[in-house]
Amino acid sequence: MSQTFYSPDRQFRRALAADWQLFSTELLYGVPYIVVGFYALRWVGTSQVYNVTWPFVFAAGLAAWLTVHICSPSIKRKSALYFFALPQNRQTAFNGRLAFLFILVLWLVVLVFVGCGIKLGGAGITACYRIHPEFVVLPFLTTSAVFWGVHCLHSRTYWFRVSLFGASLVGWLFWKLYAISRNPANAGNNYWPGREMPLGLQFVVAGLFVAISVRFILSARTAWRKRQMGAVQ
């Protein structure tokens, strides 16, 4: 077996190919979830603007569940030794798994934009589909958070951080949906409601979510290095 077989790029491609072979069909789950998201809590005809929120929320929930489904076996004691015994660099395998999850989340986000393009949920009369930048990056945030949660050691500090983050995220989501609903269309503006906050500020919040996602990934990488499952690190 040549030395190139163990080169970082070859190992990365094998790790990504293994995940693709095992879990590529999971990407099809996104189609019905996104379609349902466009029709959840949707009242057609009340406004010319459709705030695209629930499709991204459904995508975020599905991405979080799939992350647990994909990542959990590699850290459970019954199967972790198998993954650790593979002839590959563990850090490269980590990067391959992370790349596959990024493709998964990107696929879900693209599905939402495709749904906007074909006017799902609008009954053919909605003039504008309003995109909120924070919701676009929400699936990336939930995926990175769950990815971190799966790989970290579950200490008391871990559960405190999980509870704090979960409560903050849920609280923000309810506030955001409430703020959008409290900004209804009016006849004076041709039934065209404004945004609940300036678009520039929404991009700032989206950037903050991206920064938090990167922080979760870096923490998961550190936890992956420290985790002890009976194999040489």
Side-chain angles (χ1 to χ4, degrees):
M1 192 174 294
S2 64
Q3 292 183 352
T4 58
F5 182 82
Y6 293 103
S7 62
D9 58 331
R10 291 281 295 274
Q11 292 189 56
F12 175 83
R13 290 199 298 268
R14 286 198 301 273
L16 182 58
D19 280 344
W20 183 266
Q21 184 177 9
L22 289 172
F23 304 113
S24 59
T25 56
E26 313 288 349
L27 274 66
L28 299 178
Y29 290 164
V31 177
Y33 274 83
I34 298 304
V35 171
V36 171
F38 272 98
Y39 292 93
L41 302 177
R42 172 68 172 140
W43 292 274
V44 178
T46 58
S47 173
Q48 294 178 347
V49 174
Y50 179 18
N51 287 287
V52 186
T53 56
W54 285 107
F56 288 111
V57 173
F58 276 58
L62 177 61
W65 180 84
L66 288 177
T67 301
V68 174
H69 174 65
I70 293 171
C71 297
S72 291
S74 61
I75 66 166
K76 291 181 179 179
R77 187 165 297 276
K78 292 182 179 179
S79 58
L81 295 181
Y82 164 77
F83 286 94
F84 289 168
L86 290 176
Q88 60 186 5
N89 181 279
R90 290 181 58 194
Q91 195 62 47
T92 304
F94 179 94
N95 294 336
R97 173 65 52 80
L98 194 60
F100 178 79
L101 291 177
F102 177 81
I103 294 172
L104 170 65
V105 178
L106 187 62
W107 162 254
L108 296 177
V109 172
V110 168
L111 283 180
V112 177
F113 280 100
V114 171
C116 295
I118 62 178
K119 299 290 186 179
L120 285 181
I125 62 174
T126 299
C128 175
Y129 279 60
R130 176 172 291 160
I131 304 296
H132 298 265
E134 315 100 300
F135 283 93
V136 175
V137 300
L138 184 62
F140 294 95
L141 176 63
T142 57
T143 300
S144 61
V146 173
F147 188 72
W148 166 82
V150 169
H151 290 89
C152 280
L153 296 177
H154 296 177
S155 61
R156 291 182 179 179
T157 303
Y158 162 83
W159 288 114
F160 172 77
R161 295 171 67 181
V162 167
S163 301
L164 181 62
F165 173 77
S168 300
L169 183 61
V170 172
W172 170 84
L173 181 60
F174 274 96
W175 171 83
K176 183 71 175 181
L177 294 174
Y178 175 78
I180 292 175
S181 66
R182 293 293 295 175
N183 194 27
N186 58 82
N189 195 29
N190 194 25
Y191 294 98
W192 199 277
R195 291 181 179 269
E196 77 289 349
M197 64 189 337
L199 181 60
L201 185 57
Q202 288 186 309
F203 275 107
V204 171
V205 176
L208 178 62
F209 283 0
V210 171
I212 295 174
S213 300
V214 172
R215 178 59 183 171
F216 273 129
I217 292 173
L218 294 177
S219 297
R221 186 184 300 274
T222 301
W224 174 251
R225 290 171 178 170
K226 292 181 178 180
R227 179 174 285 276
Q228 297 288 337
M229 296 294 291
V232 177
Q233 299 295 307

